[in-house]
PDB file of all heavy atoms in Angstrom:
ATOM      1  N   ILE A   1      41.967 -84.872 -16.570  1.00 98.00           N
ATOM      2  CA  ILE A   1      41.281 -83.666 -17.081  1.00 98.00           C
ATOM      3  C   ILE A   1      41.734 -82.430 -16.344  1.00 98.00           C
ATOM      4  O   ILE A   1      42.002 -82.500 -15.143  1.00 98.00           O
ATOM      5  CB  ILE A   1      39.736 -83.862 -17.050  1.00 98.00           C
ATOM      6  CG1 ILE A   1      39.028 -82.683 -17.692  1.00 98.00           C
ATOM      7  CG2 ILE A   1      39.273 -84.056 -15.586  1.00 98.00           C
ATOM      8  CD1 ILE A   1      37.507 -82.924 -17.884  1.00 98.00           C
ATOM      9  N   GLY A   2      41.836 -81.316 -17.047  1.00 98.00           N
ATOM     10  CA  GLY A   2      42.298 -80.073 -16.428  1.00 98.00           C
ATOM     11  C   GLY A   2      41.472 -78.886 -16.972  1.00 98.00           C
ATOM     12  O   GLY A   2      40.477 -79.080 -17.694  1.00 98.00           O
ATOM     13  N   MET A   3      41.905 -77.715 -16.665  1.00 98.00           N
ATOM     14  CA  MET A   3      41.143 -76.532 -17.131  1.00 98.00           C
ATOM     15  C   MET A   3      42.053 -75.293 -17.293  1.00 98.00           C
ATOM     16  O   MET A   3      43.028 -75.137 -16.570  1.00 98.00           O
ATOM     17  CB  MET A   3      40.063 -76.189 -16.079  1.00 98.00           C
ATOM     18  CG  MET A   3      39.194 -74.992 -16.468  1.00 98.00           C
ATOM     19  SD  MET A   3      37.692 -74.799 -15.431  1.00 98.00           S
ATOM     20  CE  MET A   3      38.407 -74.549 -13.803  1.00 98.00           C
ATOM     21  N   ILE A   4      41.648 -74.449 -18.225  1.00 98.00           N
ATOM     22  CA  ILE A   4      42.151 -73.106 -18.408  1.00 98.00           C
ATOM     23  C   ILE A   4      41.032 -72.141 -18.151  1.00 98.00           C
ATOM     24  O   ILE A   4      39.975 -72.233 -18.786  1.00 98.00           O
ATOM     25  CB  ILE A   4      42.732 -72.875 -19.789  1.00 98.00           C
ATOM     26  CG1 ILE A   4      44.040 -73.688 -19.986  1.00 98.00           C
ATOM     27  CG2 ILE A   4      43.059 -71.363 -20.006  1.00 98.00           C
ATOM     28  CD1 ILE A   4      44.594 -73.655 -21.400  1.00 98.00           C
ATOM     29  N   ARG A   5      41.247 -71.215 -17.192  1.00 98.00           N
ATOM     30  CA  ARG A   5      40.212 -70.224 -16.849  1.00 98.00           C
ATOM     31  C   ARG A   5      40.708 -68.793 -17.021  1.00 98.00           C
ATOM     32  O   ARG A   5      41.524 -68.362 -16.202  1.00 98.00           O
ATOM     33  CB  ARG A   5      39.711 -70.437 -15.417  1.00 98.00           C
ATOM     34  CG  ARG A   5      38.665 -69.310 -14.996  1.00 98.00           C
ATOM     35  CD  ARG A   5      38.055 -69.616 -13.671  1.00 98.00           C
ATOM     36  NE  ARG A   5      38.867 -69.231 -12.544  1.00 98.00           N
ATOM     37  CZ  ARG A   5      38.771 -68.009 -11.925  1.00 98.00           C
ATOM     38  NH1 ARG A   5      37.892 -67.169 -12.330  1.00 98.00           N
ATOM     39  NH2 ARG A   5      39.542 -67.773 -10.903  1.00 98.00           N
ATOM     40  N   PRO A   6      40.223 -68.051 -17.998  1.00 98.00           N
ATOM     41  CA  PRO A   6      40.585 -66.620 -18.113  1.00 98.00           C
ATOM     42  C   PRO A   6      39.925 -65.888 -16.988  1.00 98.00           C
ATOM     43  O   PRO A   6      38.706 -66.002 -16.740  1.00 98.00           O
ATOM     44  CB  PRO A   6      40.052 -66.186 -19.440  1.00 98.00           C
ATOM     45  CG  PRO A   6      39.750 -67.472 -20.172  1.00 98.00           C
ATOM     46  CD  PRO A   6      39.419 -68.487 -19.150  1.00 98.00           C
ATOM     47  N   GLN A   7      40.696 -65.040 -16.266  1.00 98.00           N
ATOM     48  CA  GLN A   7      40.116 -64.151 -15.263  1.00 98.00           C
ATOM     49  C   GLN A   7      39.827 -62.780 -15.852  1.00 98.00           C
ATOM     50  O   GLN A   7      38.942 -62.054 -15.402  1.00 98.00           O
ATOM     51  CB  GLN A   7      41.053 -64.026 -14.051  1.00 98.00           C
ATOM     52  CG  GLN A   7      41.157 -65.307 -13.290  1.00 98.00           C
ATOM     53  CD  GLN A   7      42.318 -65.235 -12.266  1.00 98.00           C
ATOM     54  OE1 GLN A   7      43.483 -65.163 -12.641  1.00 98.00           O
ATOM     55  NE2 GLN A   7      41.965 -65.347 -10.982  1.00 98.00           N
ATOM     56  N   ILE A   8      40.655 -62.428 -16.830  1.00 98.00           N
ATOM     57  CA  ILE A   8      40.407 -61.257 -17.666  1.00 98.00           C
ATOM     58  C   ILE A   8      40.173 -61.851 -19.107  1.00 98.00           C
ATOM     59  O   ILE A   8      40.950 -62.577 -19.613  1.00 98.00           O
ATOM     60  CB  ILE A   8      41.625 -60.318 -17.701  1.00 98.00           C
ATOM     61  CG1 ILE A   8      41.701 -59.569 -16.395  1.00 98.00           C
ATOM     62  CG2 ILE A   8      41.465 -59.314 -18.844  1.00 98.00           C
ATOM     63  CD1 ILE A   8      42.885 -58.592 -16.270  1.00 98.00           C
ATOM     64  N   ILE A   9      39.017 -61.539 -19.689  1.00 98.00           N
ATOM     65  CA  ILE A   9      38.693 -62.082 -20.969  1.00 98.00           C
ATOM     66  C   ILE A   9      39.013 -61.184 -22.100  1.00 98.00           C
ATOM     67  O   ILE A   9      38.929 -61.516 -23.262  1.00 98.00           O
ATOM     68  CB  ILE A   9      37.205 -62.538 -21.074  1.00 98.00           C
ATOM     69  CG1 ILE A   9      36.264 -61.448 -20.676  1.00 98.00           C
ATOM     70  CG2 ILE A   9      37.025 -63.795 -20.152  1.00 98.00           C
ATOM     71  CD1 ILE A   9      34.783 -61.785 -20.840  1.00 98.00           C
ATOM     72  N   ASN A  10      39.384 -59.966 -21.770  1.00 98.00           N
ATOM     73  CA  ASN A  10      39.980 -59.065 -22.781  1.00 98.00           C
ATOM     74  C   ASN A  10      41.012 -58.154 -22.062  1.00 98.00           C
ATOM     75  O   ASN A  10      40.643 -57.439 -21.160  1.00 98.00           O
ATOM     76  CB  ASN A  10      38.974 -58.124 -23.488  1.00 98.00           C
ATOM     77  CG  ASN A  10      39.596 -57.470 -24.711  1.00 98.00           C
ATOM     78  OD1 ASN A  10      40.019 -58.128 -25.621  1.00 98.00           O
ATOM     79  ND2 ASN A  10      39.662 -56.155 -24.668  1.00 98.00           N
ATOM     80  N   PRO A  11      42.299 -58.281 -22.371  1.00 98.00           N
ATOM     81  CA  PRO A  11      42.867 -59.136 -23.458  1.00 98.00           C
ATOM     82  C   PRO A  11      42.801 -60.619 -23.095  1.00 98.00           C
ATOM     83  O   PRO A  11      42.962 -60.969 -21.909  1.00 98.00           O
ATOM     84  CB  PRO A  11      44.347 -58.661 -23.529  1.00 98.00           C
ATOM     85  CG  PRO A  11      44.633 -58.170 -22.171  1.00 98.00           C
ATOM     86  CD  PRO A  11      43.385 -57.490 -21.665  1.00 98.00           C
ATOM     87  N   TYR A  12      42.561 -61.436 -24.104  1.00 98.00           N
ATOM     88  CA  TYR A  12      42.347 -62.858 -23.832  1.00 98.00           C
ATOM     89  C   TYR A  12      43.704 -63.564 -23.705  1.00 98.00           C
ATOM     90  O   TYR A  12      44.661 -63.239 -24.418  1.00 98.00           O
ATOM     91  CB  TYR A  12      41.564 -63.502 -24.981  1.00 98.00           C
ATOM     92  CG  TYR A  12      41.075 -64.908 -24.686  1.00 98.00           C
ATOM     93  CD1 TYR A  12      39.914 -65.071 -23.939  1.00 98.00           C
ATOM     94  CD2 TYR A  12      41.769 -66.034 -25.114  1.00 98.00           C
ATOM     95  CE1 TYR A  12      39.449 -66.348 -23.617  1.00 98.00           C
ATOM     96  CE2 TYR A  12      41.324 -67.296 -24.771  1.00 98.00           C
ATOM     97  CZ  TYR A  12      40.176 -67.447 -24.036  1.00 98.00           C
ATOM     98  OH  TYR A  12      39.738 -68.703 -23.693  1.00 98.00           O
ATOM     99  N   PRO A  13      43.811 -64.566 -22.794  1.00 98.00           N
ATOM    100  CA  PRO A  13      45.097 -65.267 -22.541  1.00 98.00           C
ATOM    101  C   PRO A  13      45.367 -66.353 -23.556  1.00 98.00           C
ATOM    102  O   PRO A  13      45.393 -67.523 -23.232  1.00 98.00           O
ATOM    103  CB  PRO A  13      44.910 -65.764 -21.133  1.00 98.00           C
ATOM    104  CG  PRO A  13      43.420 -66.088 -21.033  1.00 98.00           C
ATOM    105  CD  PRO A  13      42.750 -64.972 -21.817  1.00 98.00           C
ATOM    106  N   TYR A  14      45.579 -65.963 -24.790  1.00 98.00           N
ATOM    107  CA  TYR A  14      45.876 -66.952 -25.881  1.00 98.00           C
ATOM    108  C   TYR A  14      47.086 -67.795 -25.507  1.00 98.00           C
ATOM    109  O   TYR A  14      47.150 -68.989 -25.812  1.00 98.00           O
ATOM    110  CB  TYR A  14      46.068 -66.258 -27.182  1.00 98.00           C
ATOM    111  CG  TYR A  14      44.865 -65.502 -27.677  1.00 98.00           C
ATOM    112  CD1 TYR A  14      44.900 -64.144 -27.732  1.00 98.00           C
ATOM    113  CD2 TYR A  14      43.750 -66.148 -28.116  1.00 98.00           C
ATOM    114  CE1 TYR A  14      43.777 -63.413 -28.195  1.00 98.00           C
ATOM    115  CE2 TYR A  14      42.623 -65.450 -28.569  1.00 98.00           C
ATOM    116  CZ  TYR A  14      42.657 -64.101 -28.608  1.00 98.00           C
ATOM    117  OH  TYR A  14      41.580 -63.409 -29.049  1.00 98.00           O
ATOM    118  N   GLU A  15      48.031 -67.192 -24.782  1.00 98.00           N
ATOM    119  CA  GLU A  15      49.294 -67.858 -24.466  1.00 98.00           C
ATOM    120  C   GLU A  15      49.070 -68.988 -23.498  1.00 98.00           C
ATOM    121  O   GLU A  15      49.883 -69.943 -23.390  1.00 98.00           O
ATOM    122  CB  GLU A  15      50.299 -66.853 -23.844  1.00 98.00           C
ATOM    123  CG  GLU A  15      49.970 -66.296 -22.487  1.00 98.00           C
ATOM    124  CD  GLU A  15      49.005 -65.109 -22.523  1.00 98.00           C
ATOM    125  OE1 GLU A  15      48.399 -64.884 -23.567  1.00 98.00           O
ATOM    126  OE2 GLU A  15      48.877 -64.490 -21.460  1.00 98.00           O
ATOM    127  N   ALA A  16      47.961 -68.973 -22.740  1.00 98.00           N
ATOM    128  CA  ALA A  16      47.686 -70.049 -21.765  1.00 98.00           C
ATOM    129  C   ALA A  16      47.575 -71.402 -22.478  1.00 98.00           C
ATOM    130  O   ALA A  16      47.971 -72.460 -21.932  1.00 98.00           O
ATOM    131  CB  ALA A  16      46.402 -69.789 -21.010  1.00 98.00           C
ATOM    132  N   TYR A  17      47.095 -71.415 -23.708  1.00 98.00           N
ATOM    133  CA  TYR A  17      46.838 -72.660 -24.419  1.00 98.00           C
ATOM    134  C   TYR A  17      48.203 -73.237 -25.011  1.00 98.00           C
ATOM    135  O   TYR A  17      48.177 -74.432 -25.366  1.00 98.00           O
ATOM    136  CB  TYR A  17      45.860 -72.420 -25.570  1.00 98.00           C
ATOM    137  CG  TYR A  17      44.485 -72.110 -25.057  1.00 98.00           C
ATOM    138  CD1 TYR A  17      44.197 -70.819 -24.559  1.00 98.00           C
ATOM    139  CD2 TYR A  17      43.505 -73.102 -24.926  1.00 98.00           C
ATOM    140  CE1 TYR A  17      42.962 -70.523 -24.026  1.00 98.00           C
ATOM    141  CE2 TYR A  17      42.270 -72.799 -24.395  1.00 98.00           C
ATOM    142  CZ  TYR A  17      41.980 -71.514 -23.955  1.00 98.00           C
ATOM    143  OH  TYR A  17      40.729 -71.236 -23.423  1.00 98.00           O
ATOM    144  N   ASP A  18      49.257 -72.438 -24.926  1.00 98.00           N
ATOM    145  CA  ASP A  18      50.570 -73.004 -25.276  1.00 98.00           C
ATOM    146  C   ASP A  18      51.118 -73.911 -24.167  1.00 98.00           C
ATOM    147  O   ASP A  18      52.080 -74.621 -24.395  1.00 98.00           O
ATOM    148  CB  ASP A  18      51.524 -71.850 -25.544  1.00 98.00           C
ATOM    149  CG  ASP A  18      51.133 -71.040 -26.776  1.00 98.00           C
ATOM    150  OD1 ASP A  18      50.433 -71.598 -27.668  1.00 98.00           O
ATOM    151  OD2 ASP A  18      51.536 -69.853 -26.871  1.00 98.00           O
ATOM    152  N   GLU A  19      50.498 -73.823 -22.978  1.00 97.00           N
ATOM    153  CA  GLU A  19      50.955 -74.649 -21.865  1.00 97.00           C
ATOM    154  C   GLU A  19      50.392 -76.070 -21.958  1.00 97.00           C
ATOM    155  O   GLU A  19      50.826 -76.948 -21.187  1.00 97.00           O
ATOM    156  CB  GLU A  19      50.510 -74.028 -20.511  1.00 97.00           C
ATOM    157  CG  GLU A  19      51.118 -72.632 -20.285  1.00 97.00           C
ATOM    158  CD  GLU A  19      50.710 -72.043 -18.955  1.00 97.00           C
ATOM    159  OE1 GLU A  19      50.297 -72.858 -18.061  1.00 97.00           O
ATOM    160  OE2 GLU A  19      50.759 -70.856 -18.818  1.00 97.00           O
ATOM    161  N   ILE A  20      49.482 -76.310 -22.843  1.00 98.00           N
ATOM    162  CA  ILE A  20      48.882 -77.643 -22.997  1.00 98.00           C
ATOM    163  C   ILE A  20      49.903 -78.544 -23.692  1.00 98.00           C
ATOM    164  O   ILE A  20      50.571 -78.141 -24.685  1.00 98.00           O
ATOM    165  CB  ILE A  20      47.577 -77.578 -23.792  1.00 98.00           C
ATOM    166  CG1 ILE A  20      46.494 -76.767 -23.054  1.00 98.00           C
ATOM    167  CG2 ILE A  20      47.021 -78.983 -24.156  1.00 98.00           C
ATOM    168  CD1 ILE A  20      45.268 -76.530 -23.861  1.00 98.00           C
ATOM    169  N   ASN A  21      50.024 -79.781 -23.215  1.00 97.00           N
ATOM    170  CA  ASN A  21      50.822 -80.747 -23.931  1.00 97.00           C
ATOM    171  C   ASN A  21      49.956 -81.473 -24.977  1.00 97.00           C
ATOM    172  O   ASN A  21      49.166 -82.349 -24.626  1.00 97.00           O
ATOM    173  CB  ASN A  21      51.391 -81.781 -22.877  1.00 97.00           C
ATOM    174  CG  ASN A  21      52.258 -82.847 -23.528  1.00 97.00           C
ATOM    175  OD1 ASN A  21      52.350 -82.919 -24.758  1.00 97.00           O
ATOM    176  ND2 ASN A  21      52.981 -83.619 -22.739  1.00 97.00           N
ATOM    177  N   TYR A  22      50.093 -81.002 -26.193  1.00 97.00           N
ATOM    178  CA  TYR A  22      49.222 -81.558 -27.259  1.00 97.00           C
ATOM    179  C   TYR A  22      49.588 -82.938 -27.662  1.00 97.00           C
ATOM    180  O   TYR A  22      48.832 -83.564 -28.459  1.00 97.00           O
ATOM    181  CB  TYR A  22      49.209 -80.545 -28.428  1.00 97.00           C
ATOM    182  CG  TYR A  22      48.500 -79.266 -28.140  1.00 97.00           C
ATOM    183  CD1 TYR A  22      49.232 -78.144 -27.735  1.00 97.00           C
ATOM    184  CD2 TYR A  22      47.163 -79.187 -28.149  1.00 97.00           C
ATOM    185  CE1 TYR A  22      48.644 -76.978 -27.424  1.00 97.00           C
ATOM    186  CE2 TYR A  22      46.471 -78.016 -27.857  1.00 97.00           C
ATOM    187  CZ  TYR A  22      47.186 -76.910 -27.483  1.00 97.00           C
ATOM    188  OH  TYR A  22      46.546 -75.750 -27.146  1.00 97.00           O
ATOM    189  N   ASP A  23      50.704 -83.496 -27.209  1.00 96.00           N
ATOM    190  CA  ASP A  23      50.979 -84.915 -27.390  1.00 96.00           C
ATOM    191  C   ASP A  23      50.096 -85.769 -26.540  1.00 96.00           C
ATOM    192  O   ASP A  23      49.890 -86.944 -26.806  1.00 96.00           O
ATOM    193  CB  ASP A  23      52.473 -85.198 -27.117  1.00 96.00           C
ATOM    194  CG  ASP A  23      53.386 -84.555 -28.166  1.00 96.00           C
ATOM    195  OD1 ASP A  23      52.937 -84.375 -29.295  1.00 96.00           O
ATOM    196  OD2 ASP A  23      54.497 -84.176 -27.772  1.00 96.00           O
ATOM    197  N   VAL A  24      49.610 -85.167 -25.457  1.00 97.00           N
ATOM    198  CA  VAL A  24      48.811 -85.862 -24.476  1.00 97.00           C
ATOM    199  C   VAL A  24      47.324 -85.514 -24.636  1.00 97.00           C
ATOM    200  O   VAL A  24      46.481 -86.358 -24.569  1.00 97.00           O
ATOM    201  CB  VAL A  24      49.298 -85.594 -23.009  1.00 97.00           C
ATOM    202  CG1 VAL A  24      48.333 -86.181 -22.027  1.00 97.00           C
ATOM    203  CG2 VAL A  24      50.702 -86.115 -22.798  1.00 97.00           C
ATOM    204  N   CYS A  25      47.053 -84.225 -24.751  1.00 97.00           N
ATOM    205  CA  CYS A  25      45.703 -83.758 -24.845  1.00 97.00           C
ATOM    206  C   CYS A  25      44.992 -84.126 -26.143  1.00 97.00           C
ATOM    207  O   CYS A  25      45.581 -83.899 -27.219  1.00 97.00           O
ATOM    208  CB  CYS A  25      45.639 -82.192 -24.693  1.00 97.00           C
ATOM    209  SG  CYS A  25      44.003 -81.529 -24.707  1.00 97.00           S
ATOM    210  N   LYS A  26      43.821 -84.746 -26.034  1.00 96.00           N
ATOM    211  CA  LYS A  26      43.111 -85.205 -27.187  1.00 96.00           C
ATOM    212  C   LYS A  26      41.875 -84.410 -27.499  1.00 96.00           C
ATOM    213  O   LYS A  26      41.206 -84.586 -28.572  1.00 96.00           O
ATOM    214  CB  LYS A  26      42.751 -86.683 -27.000  1.00 96.00           C
ATOM    215  CG  LYS A  26      43.929 -87.584 -26.712  1.00 96.00           C
ATOM    216  CD  LYS A  26      45.001 -87.486 -27.795  1.00 96.00           C
ATOM    217  CE  LYS A  26      46.217 -88.401 -27.513  1.00 96.00           C
ATOM    218  NZ  LYS A  26      47.297 -88.178 -28.462  1.00 96.00           N
ATOM    219  N   MET A  27      41.437 -83.511 -26.551  1.00 98.00           N
ATOM    220  CA  MET A  27      40.208 -82.762 -26.768  1.00 98.00           C
ATOM    221  C   MET A  27      40.165 -81.543 -25.855  1.00 98.00           C
ATOM    222  O   MET A  27      40.568 -81.604 -24.684  1.00 98.00           O
ATOM    223  CB  MET A  27      38.993 -83.630 -26.504  1.00 98.00           C
ATOM    224  CG  MET A  27      37.675 -82.962 -26.833  1.00 98.00           C
ATOM    225  SD  MET A  27      37.380 -82.781 -28.579  1.00 98.00           S
ATOM    226  CE  MET A  27      37.226 -84.509 -29.123  1.00 98.00           C
ATOM    227  N   ILE A  28      39.725 -80.429 -26.404  1.00 98.00           N
ATOM    228  CA  ILE A  28      39.414 -79.247 -25.650  1.00 98.00           C
ATOM    229  C   ILE A  28      37.876 -79.136 -25.532  1.00 98.00           C
ATOM    230  O   ILE A  28      37.160 -79.288 -26.587  1.00 98.00           O
ATOM    231  CB  ILE A  28      39.935 -77.944 -26.329  1.00 98.00           C
ATOM    232  CG1 ILE A  28      41.392 -78.015 -26.683  1.00 98.00           C
ATOM    233  CG2 ILE A  28      39.620 -76.743 -25.437  1.00 98.00           C
ATOM    234  CD1 ILE A  28      42.340 -78.066 -25.452  1.00 98.00           C
ATOM    235  N   LEU A  29      37.375 -78.944 -24.343  1.00 98.00           N
ATOM    236  CA  LEU A  29      35.920 -78.831 -24.155  1.00 98.00           C
ATOM    237  C   LEU A  29      35.605 -77.384 -23.686  1.00 98.00           C
ATOM    238  O   LEU A  29      35.920 -77.001 -22.560  1.00 98.00           O
ATOM    239  CB  LEU A  29      35.434 -79.865 -23.123  1.00 98.00           C
ATOM    240  CG  LEU A  29      33.931 -79.842 -22.823  1.00 98.00           C
ATOM    241  CD1 LEU A  29      33.114 -80.182 -24.077  1.00 98.00           C
ATOM    242  CD2 LEU A  29      33.597 -80.781 -21.670  1.00 98.00           C
ATOM    243  N   ASP A  30      35.003 -76.625 -24.547  1.00 98.00           N
ATOM    244  CA  ASP A  30      34.549 -75.286 -24.186  1.00 98.00           C
ATOM    245  C   ASP A  30      33.219 -75.391 -23.473  1.00 98.00           C
ATOM    246  O   ASP A  30      32.235 -75.912 -23.988  1.00 98.00           O
ATOM    247  CB  ASP A  30      34.381 -74.432 -25.474  1.00 98.00           C
ATOM    248  CG  ASP A  30      33.664 -73.154 -25.257  1.00 98.00           C
ATOM    249  OD1 ASP A  30      34.217 -72.321 -24.470  1.00 98.00           O
ATOM    250  OD2 ASP A  30      32.552 -72.924 -25.776  1.00 98.00           O
ATOM    251  N   VAL A  31      33.198 -74.845 -22.266  1.00 98.00           N
ATOM    252  CA  VAL A  31      32.016 -74.893 -21.414  1.00 98.00           C
ATOM    253  C   VAL A  31      31.527 -73.447 -21.165  1.00 98.00           C
ATOM    254  O   VAL A  31      32.258 -72.611 -20.615  1.00 98.00           O
ATOM    255  CB  VAL A  31      32.353 -75.546 -20.055  1.00 98.00           C
ATOM    256  CG1 VAL A  31      31.084 -75.516 -19.153  1.00 98.00           C
ATOM    257  CG2 VAL A  31      32.756 -77.005 -20.265  1.00 98.00           C
TER     258      VAL A  31
END
């Protein structure tokens, strides 16, 4: 399990989610 944490929420780091390996990742959990 890992995490993406925006330190600035505007502008939002949409590009961070491109770093996820979606062949491996099966779920995103918004907390």
Side-chain angles (χ1 to χ4, degrees):
I1 184 169
M3 180 168 62
I4 292 173
R5 175 173 82 94
Q7 293 168 295
I8 289 179
I9 55 175
N10 192 62
Y12 193 81
Y14 298 111
E15 69 277 13
Y17 294 79
D18 295 335
E19 298 181 23
I20 296 173
N21 183 348
Y22 290 98
D23 293 330
V24 173
C25 181
K26 304 304 179 186
M27 186 69 68
I28 307 292
L29 180 63
D30 169 63
V31 176

